[in-house]
Amino acid sequence: MQSLRYNNPFKSEIADPREEEENESRHLAYLEGLAFAWNSCGQKSRFFTESMEKHNIKGLSLEKISKNLLSPYFRGIFDGAGILEEGPDLSIAFPRNFDAVLNKSSFNITPEAEKILIKNEDAVNFCLFIYENLDFASQNFCREKLTALCQKSRDFYKAFLKAAESYIDGRYYSTLPESIAKNPEAVLTYINGLESCKKNYLELVKMGVEQEDARYILPMGTQTRLVMTMNVRSLYNFFHLRCCRRAQSEIRHLANLMLAEVKKIAPGLFEKAGAPCEATGFCPEGKFSCGRYPAQRPEARGQR
């Protein structure tokens, strides 16, 4: 087993400040877009005010923003002035005076009375662009709008989950549980927890605390690498327990993958391996049954 006693999954980040510099540039671009939207709408907000004053944010126009920072810039404009329209399809509205900046972009827009619309597939593409390479742990997005988009568009939510899983794997050396992935609010809350654990772990290591003690603060979702051997009897017992739907999703997924592999090698030997209900037609879990098969009869339980 790969031990976190000797292996620090975040070692490179302690010595490499480049990620922080890139995140800072994207953060400033987001604030510029947000300030531009507020200035164009004649609105102000208490959010980010201190940060804007600190960095002398003016609300720069599109022409003054670097091309590699357009994604967070437009995300700031969306958070500052964009509105999700009601209805079954995804449609994003902006005030009519935003036609100049949106016309200079590559997005298809539809003028309508006092507003401008980005609709349907164009709206999905717009959202995919503005949330591209999103730093989920930052505050460079409106949480309410992001979760509303996930609920509004299935295609966007799929892309959101794929990005979140990659982010969690790469940044936190961790995994995204199945039940959390069903709820965008839960995903963002989970990431906040992972970020807190990681920051405190790195602080402890910087203080000279041994990794074997600092690792206590890392979450249970932290990944590990291991190699193991199991004989047929142990495999049967493992499949019996972990192929069951009541097993935790990650270990159940692993068990089903392993079962598929051993069946390729010895199909006859593992013909009846797996969840016990598959072989007997009854669930031995009683009141904890998932309901796929009827609960095992008491008399049958006594005969075994």
Side-chain angles (χ1 to χ4, degrees), residues 50-68:
E50 182 178 339
S51 183
M52 286 182 173
E53 292 176 353
K54 175 183 177 182
H55 297 288
N56 195 29
I57 299 298
K58 301 295 186 182
L60 298 176
S61 61
L62 178 63
E63 294 81 2
K64 297 181 180 181
I65 301 298
S66 174
K67 289 185 178 181
N68 65 325

Side-chain angles (χ1 to χ4, degrees), residues 64-206:
K64 297 181 180 181
I65 301 298
S66 174
K67 289 185 178 181
N68 65 325
L69 295 174
L70 291 181
S71 173
Y73 179 75
F74 273 105
R75 186 166 67 248
I77 291 178
F78 171 64
D79 284 351
I83 298 173
L84 286 178
E85 294 279 274
E86 295 183 2
D89 299 320
L90 181 61
S91 182
I92 300 171
F94 290 93
R96 190 61 186 265
N97 61 327
F98 278 77
D99 57 353
V101 65
L102 292 175
N103 271 321
K104 294 176 183 177
S105 69
S106 59
F107 309 116
N108 294 321
I109 62 174
T110 304
E112 184 179 294
E114 298 301 317
K115 58 188 176 182
I116 297 172
L117 297 178
I118 304 178
K119 301 188 292 186
N120 303 326
E121 186 177 349
D122 291 324
V124 174
N125 291 332
F126 172 78
C127 293
L128 291 176
F129 172 73
I130 66 175
Y131 289 102
E132 185 178 52
N133 298 320
L134 179 65
D135 181 6
F136 286 88
S138 73
Q139 299 302 314
N140 298 339
F141 60 92
C142 174
R143 181 165 174 155
E144 290 75 18
K145 284 190 175 180
L146 177 55
T147 54
L149 282 171
C150 290
Q151 294 163 355
K152 190 82 171 178
S153 170
R154 182 180 296 274
D155 289 337
F156 178 78
Y157 190 41
K158 288 180 180 178
F160 165 83
L161 277 182
K162 184 177 180 180
E165 288 173 347
S166 177
Y167 185 87
I168 289 169
D169 177 71
R171 184 177 176 86
Y172 304 114
Y173 202 60
S174 193
T175 188
L176 180 64
E178 187 178 83
S179 59
I180 293 179
K182 296 177 181 178
N183 183 344
E185 276 282 357
V187 173
L188 296 176
T189 299
Y190 181 63
I191 289 175
N192 285 343
L194 293 174
E195 179 69 13
S196 179
C197 290
K198 176 181 175 178
K199 282 184 176 180
N200 286 296
Y201 172 82
L202 291 175
E203 279 298 315
L204 291 171
V205 173
K206 287 177 182 179

Side-chain angles (χ1 to χ4, degrees), residues 190-229:
Y190 181 63
I191 289 175
N192 285 343
L194 293 174
E195 179 69 13
S196 179
C197 290
K198 176 181 175 178
K199 282 184 176 180
N200 286 296
Y201 172 82
L202 291 175
E203 279 298 315
L204 291 171
V205 173
K206 287 177 182 179
M207 292 175 185
V209 174
E210 295 290 341
Q211 289 176 191
E212 62 185 47
D213 292 331
R215 63 179 172 169
Y216 276 70
I217 204 169
L218 292 176
M220 288 186 66
T222 303
Q223 298 176 19
T224 189
R225 303 287 185 267
L226 59 90
V227 176
M228 61 182 177
T229 58

